Amino acid sequence: MSRRALTLLVAGFLVLALGISGAWVTVPYVVLSPGPTENTIGSVDNKPVITISDRQTYPTSGTLSLVTVSYQGGPQARPDLLTALRGWVDPTTAVVPEESIFPREQTAEEVEQENTAEMTNSQDNATAAALTELKIDYSMVPTVLSVEKTAPAAGRLKPSDEIRTVDGKPVTAVDQVAAAVKAHKPGDEIVFGVIRDGKPQDVTVTSVAGKQGTAMVGIVMQAKYKFPFKVSISVGDVGGPSAGMMFALGIIDKLTPGELTGGKSIAGTGTITPDGKVGGIGGIAQKMVGAKNSGATVFLTPADNCAEAVKAAPDGLRLVKAETLHGAMQALDAIRSGKGEVPSCSAG
């Protein structure tokens, strides 16, 4: 056998061995790829994504699509080496270290639970942001989300308790409750006026010193919104907070006459705060590919993601910079009417 033939034979065996081992050897990475899109003013499985009860709504057209990222991998389902290699050479996917998606101190189940909780909060924040933009009044009530098992509040305060007063003084925000507790010295008794199961009652908790030496009682709180009408959002298994802005736009479109999209196919992403600030997200490159694949021609992009988005934007997808919900509304109005300035993303 000639040296050339022997070399080719050995190389062939090595490639075969690499292929076989690559199909079995797993690696601690996660492969990110474009996920499904959902039209927030449309339906999923014949059920409206956004349902508004006890309030007049108006017809919509076009699409206001949220975009997602699918992932393959995780501590209990690591991809094989060949899958990771294919991801590295595919420009529409990204391969990232496992711990960037699944922190070592969290299980995969805990990450999923956190994503679900973030999606719920995102929906509430989106409703609040939409109503703020439309100048519709609503209120917030500080509510106990969880109680640490060994904390002073254990057995005293309970999840879903609505905190209305601290030491007899009314509170209407989470930070007001936190400030009222920290105003005490460790060891002080703190009286919480709560609504539990629809009934008012006072609960006294003796505080202890926290990590910073200030008084604490060991509760996690969240703002529970009181809206003047019911807004329900249903998107199946989608998790995380990045659809907030698109939910808010969908709610506004349903609550106002006229068509926000002008019949166009518009997609976007971005977290939202109750006062309408749009925040950056992860996986922008994969989300833009998903938007383009769904037929979108305009992509509402968080200002914090603009520089990255410009470098990876698919041909034919117009990037519109969104810093606030109000700004996104103005941009859509300019696109629809053909009048006014439309803020664009830049690489700088």
Side-chain angles (χ1 to χ4, degrees):
M1 181 180 294
S2 68
R3 182 185 298 271
R4 174 180 170 77
L6 180 61
T7 300
L8 290 174
L9 180 63
V10 172
F13 277 121
L14 288 175
V15 170
L16 179 62
L18 179 61
I20 293 173
S21 63
W24 289 94
V25 175
T26 60
V27 290
Y29 288 89
V30 174
V31 181
L32 306 179
S33 58
T37 63
E38 302 292 357
N39 179 16
T40 62
I41 52 176
S43 299
V44 175
D45 296 330
N46 297 318
K47 182 179 180 180
V49 173
I50 298 173
T51 303
I52 300 174
S53 306
D54 303 319
R55 187 83 175 191
Q56 181 177 0
T57 58
Y58 299 87
T60 62
S61 71
T63 62
L64 284 169
S65 296
L66 64 87
V67 287
T68 64
V69 173
S70 295
Y71 70 84
Q72 181 179 357
Q76 277 119 30
R78 286 176 171 170
D80 59 61
L81 179 59
L82 289 181
T83 298
L85 290 173
R86 284 196 297 268
W88 268 309
V89 299
D90 185 347
T92 68
T93 66
V95 181
V96 299
E98 186 178 87
E99 59 268 21
S100 67
I101 306 296
F102 300 95
R104 295 187 185 279
E105 64 273 12
Q106 288 183 292
T107 65
E109 290 77 13
E110 288 172 336
V111 171
E112 291 291 346
Q113 291 172 358
E114 183 177 296
N115 284 340
T116 300
E118 287 180 340
M119 172 58 83
T120 300
N121 289 336
S122 174
Q123 294 172 359
D124 288 341
N125 287 345
T127 303
L131 269 57
T132 298
E133 176 68 20
L134 297 176
K135 297 181 171 54
I136 298 174
D137 290 335
Y138 63 91
S139 61
M140 291 186 292
V141 178
T143 304
V144 178
L145 179 63
S146 62
V147 182
E148 296 176 17
K149 293 180 180 179
T150 58
R156 307 292 297 165
L157 293 170
K158 297 182 178 181
S160 298
D161 281 350
E162 297 180 3
I163 301 176
R164 300 301 180 92
T165 64
V166 178
D167 299 321
K169 297 179 180 179
V171 289
T172 58
V174 169
D175 57 356
Q176 289 179 343
V177 177
V181 171
K182 289 181 179 180
H184 282 270
K185 294 179 180 178
D188 286 353
E189 289 188 341
I190 305 174
V191 181
F192 296 89
V194 305
I195 301 294
R196 179 181 297 169
D197 298 327
K199 299 178 181 179
Q201 66 181 84
D202 287 339
V203 179
T204 301
V205 181
T206 301
S207 64
V208 297
K211 292 181 180 180
Q212 306 299 322
T214 56
M216 58 86 72
V217 296
I219 60 174
V220 176
M221 295 177 290
Q222 67 174 0
K224 183 177 180 180
Y225 295 98
K226 300 286 187 178
F227 298 123
F229 48 85
K230 185 176 181 180
V231 178
S232 300
I233 301 177
S234 177
V235 285
D237 295 332
V238 176
S242 64
M245 176 176 62
M246 300 311 294
F247 285 142
L249 290 171
I251 293 168
I252 290 172
D253 201 9
K254 284 177 170 276
L255 286 174
T256 54
E259 298 170 338
L260 201 59
T261 67
K264 295 181 181 296
S265 181
I266 293 168
T269 187
T271 62
I272 199 74
T273 62
D275 60 355
K277 293 179 182 176
V278 176
I281 51 81
I284 189 71
Q286 289 71 46
K287 290 179 177 178
M288 290 189 298
V289 172
K292 179 66 185 300
N293 291 344
S294 72
T297 56
V298 175
F299 190 79
L300 298 172
T301 312
D304 291 343
N305 292 113
C306 267
E308 180 185 0
V310 167
K311 298 175 183 177
D315 291 339
L317 191 65
R318 182 181 185 181
L319 303 187
V320 176
K321 181 169 68 174
E323 297 184 75
T324 65
L325 179 60
H326 185 71
M329 292 279 293
Q330 289 181 316
L332 290 178
D333 181 62
I335 292 171
R336 186 175 62 253
S337 66
K339 301 176 182 179
E341 182 180 352
V342 179
S344 299
C345 282
S346 62

